[in-house]
Amino acid sequence: QVQLVESGGGLVQPGGSLRLSCAASGNIFSINAMGWYRQAPGKQRELVAAATSRGSTNYADSVKGRFTISRDNAKNTVYLQMNSLKPEDTAVYYCNFYPREYGVWGQGTQVTVSS
């Protein structure tokens, strides 16, 4: 049974930075690609970044150059470093497997970018 626990969100001013963490339980983390997703009220959930177990990464156009995804397979943890944050980045952020998402999502972590 896989459990996904996100942390690191909060309130930050435009232009600020946050680092999100996702701890995944289970024994399949190291052989699967992982992604960070976000969902704002009234909006569809979207993929913002993904990292394969071999280290390749991809990003949504809206966050390229500002966000960096990384992973530590030994710790079953994936990170999202977010710099130059904008109000439109405000959302609940979730981690999950990519591209085939696990059916049980974590609680997510709220990121609010506001002055």
Side-chain angles (χ1 to χ4, degrees):
Q1 189 76 24
V2 174
Q3 295 183 38
L4 302 164
V5 182
E6 301 91 347
S7 62
L11 175 64
V12 65
Q13 294 183 345
S17 298
L18 287 171
R19 190 174 86 144
L20 308 184
S21 298
C22 170
S25 65
N27 62 357
I28 62 173
F29 178 89
S30 64
I31 61 173
N32 284 276
M34 297 294 297
W36 281 98
Y37 304 77
R38 68 185 181 189
Q39 186 168 24
K43 305 290 186 179
Q44 297 182 66
R45 184 186 294 120
E46 63 174 341
L47 178 74
V48 298
T52 72
S53 60
R54 293 177 174 83
S56 63
T57 60
N58 62 273
Y59 299 90
D61 288 342
S62 60
V63 307
K64 285 180 179 177
R66 300 188 297 119
F67 291 10
T68 303
I69 187 171
S70 61
R71 61 190 293 161
D72 186 335
N73 290 337
K75 296 181 179 180
N76 288 355
T77 302
V78 61
Y79 306 94
L80 186 68
Q81 178 67 47
M82 305 186 296
N83 299 325
S84 302
L85 283 161
K86 304 175 180 180
E88 51 262 45
D89 295 318
T90 296
V92 178
Y93 284 71
Y94 303 88
C95 66
N96 211 321
F97 299 101
Y98 174 84
R100 296 187 63 182
E101 302 155 20
Y102 183 63
V104 181
W105 295 76
Q107 65 179 4
T109 186
Q110 176 73 50
V111 172
T112 302
V113 185
S114 175
S115 60

